[in-house]
Amino acid sequence: MTHHGILYDEHVVLGANFTLDEGGAEHVASYPQQSSDAANSKDLADHECFIADMSGVFYRVISGVDAQAYISMLSATDHAGIGDTRLSCVLSGDGSVISYPFIAHSGDNEYVILDTSFRAQTLGMWMDFVQHIKQDTYEPFAHVRIATYDEKLVPIALYGSAADQLLLDYIGHDNAVFENGSVCAISLDGHITCLCLHPSQSWYLLFVPARYARLMWRSFLSFAYVEPQPYQHACTRLCLSLPEELNVNSNDKLTLSYRVLNNYNLVRSDVSYIGARELQTTKG
């Protein structure tokens, strides 16, 4: 059975072509080319700003009293500060790389994990495994909640050189979200509250309340320099912002040395995370 997202009708109006994923969900594959008038406008010549419906992107909200302990076990990277979004490294027990998700510390005992790479499905299975680890009969993460809110929130990506300018039409210029590597709640037009991740320069992910999603989609597109793009275009843009040496979109088993991962601040000095002891053997 085909599953249509909340913004499906908006994509139909734009003349989108669709593709089905393995779960039966429909995603935009492409939009028709823009008219020559739009393509030649001064706004488009001076600015680049894209929006994408990210429904179906891999994200998880981690919460509960043991959320920090879970993240510390799952990720090799330090995630100490609330309001921080950073690239992370998740390792398997043998020290090989599971994936490089972005992890946002969005509040007390709350984190958001975002993965736009080809490794996202593997990460999801690994997260489930780690959540149910047992020490004898004790389950250290039994009270950790891992959830998505697909019926309540619609993730929309804003990206490109003019993404900051677009957001400035909705929020104040002094908002903390403009700091690269941030996460915070923002209020669009003073009344639509969204969680916003800013994982990479000029790339934002807004979790828009479902009842406002169509309104905001149309509002963003009312600017001449804003162009809709398929989900995969936004994923690729974010992955291309990451160091090539990390091989983010490789599907092969990936083992990197401690030195390489440390060069990108992806590993912390302690050995409390999964894969740490094996990784330490590559230091020499």
Side-chain angles (χ1 to χ4, degrees):
M1 180 178 178
T2 302
H3 306 291
H4 292 158
I6 291 171
L7 293 175
Y8 174 78
D9 288 342
E10 300 299 319
H11 302 314
V12 171
V13 168
L14 293 170
N17 297 308
F18 295 90
T19 184
L20 285 176
D21 66 19
E22 294 178 354
E26 242 177 353
H27 299 285
V28 173
S30 63
Y31 293 101
Q33 289 188 342
Q34 290 183 305
S35 69
S36 57
D37 289 342
N40 292 326
S41 74
K42 182 178 186 299
D43 280 338
L44 280 173
D46 293 342
H47 304 289
E48 176 187 70
C49 187
F50 305 111
I51 64 170
D53 176 6
M54 300 298 283
S55 300
V57 71
F58 182 91
Y59 82 90
R60 298 291 186 270
V61 179
I62 316 298
S63 60
V65 294
D66 296 318
Q68 182 175 347
Y70 174 81
I71 292 294
S72 294
M73 175 75 78
L74 178 75
S75 171
T77 312
D78 181 24
H79 297 282
I82 293 177
D84 174 81
T85 297
R86 64 178 61 182
L87 185 65
S88 176
C89 181
V90 175
L91 304 174
S92 66
D94 66 2
S96 61
V97 175
I98 296 288
S99 194
Y100 301 104
F102 285 94
I103 299 183
H105 194 171
S106 51
D108 292 330
N109 300 316
E110 183 182 270
Y111 298 80
V112 180
I113 295 182
L114 170 69
D115 193 343
T116 63
S117 75
F118 297 148
R119 294 175 171 268
Q121 185 176 4
T122 303
L123 174 65
M125 293 186 289
W126 183 250
M127 287 175 62
D128 183 68
F129 171 78
V130 173
Q131 184 186 17
H132 295 97
I133 284 176
K134 288 186 178 181
Q135 298 172 353
D136 296 325
T137 59
Y138 173 61
E139 294 186 50
F141 307 125
H143 300 293
V144 170
R145 174 175 169 78
I146 302 178
T148 59
Y149 298 96
D150 296 337
E151 300 301 316
K152 297 180 179 180
L153 300 172
V154 177
I156 298 177
L158 311 179
Y159 57 104
S161 59
D164 290 4
Q165 178 182 327
L166 179 62
L167 271 182
L168 280 169
D169 278 289
Y170 297 92
I171 61 176
H173 71 277
D174 57 346
N175 197 291
V177 77
F178 291 112
E179 295 181 19
N180 195 32
S182 62
V183 56
C184 63
I186 61 174
S187 184
L188 301 175
D189 282 339
H191 70 284
I192 302 175
T193 301
C194 308
L195 184 68
C196 183
L197 278 63
H198 186 182
S200 184
Q201 184 174 359
S202 300
W203 201 103
Y204 298 87
L205 185 66
L206 277 63
F207 289 93
V208 181
R211 64 177 175 153
Y212 294 114
R214 295 182 70 177
L215 172 68
M216 291 312 307
W217 180 263
R218 292 180 182 183
S219 181
F220 292 146
L221 285 176
S222 70
F223 293 87
Y225 61 89
V226 177
E227 178 183 342
Q229 287 288 350
Y231 161 93
Q232 195 55 53
H233 185 272
C235 292
T236 300
R237 272 296 186 96
L238 183 56
C239 288
L240 286 175
S241 71
L242 304 180
E244 186 176 348
E245 189 175 15
L246 297 179
N247 292 317
V248 171
N249 267 328
S250 169
N251 281 322
D252 299 326
K253 183 172 180 177
L254 184 59
T255 302
L256 298 177
S257 69
Y258 179 93
R259 179 190 60 79
V260 170
L261 295 176
N262 190 53
N263 283 346
Y264 298 106
N265 298 314
L266 289 173
V267 288
R268 55 186 195 268
S269 58
D270 65 77
V271 292
S272 61
Y273 55 89
I274 295 174
R277 298 189 185 281
E278 286 297 321
L279 189 64
Q280 294 290 321
T281 64
T282 68
K283 270 188 171 181

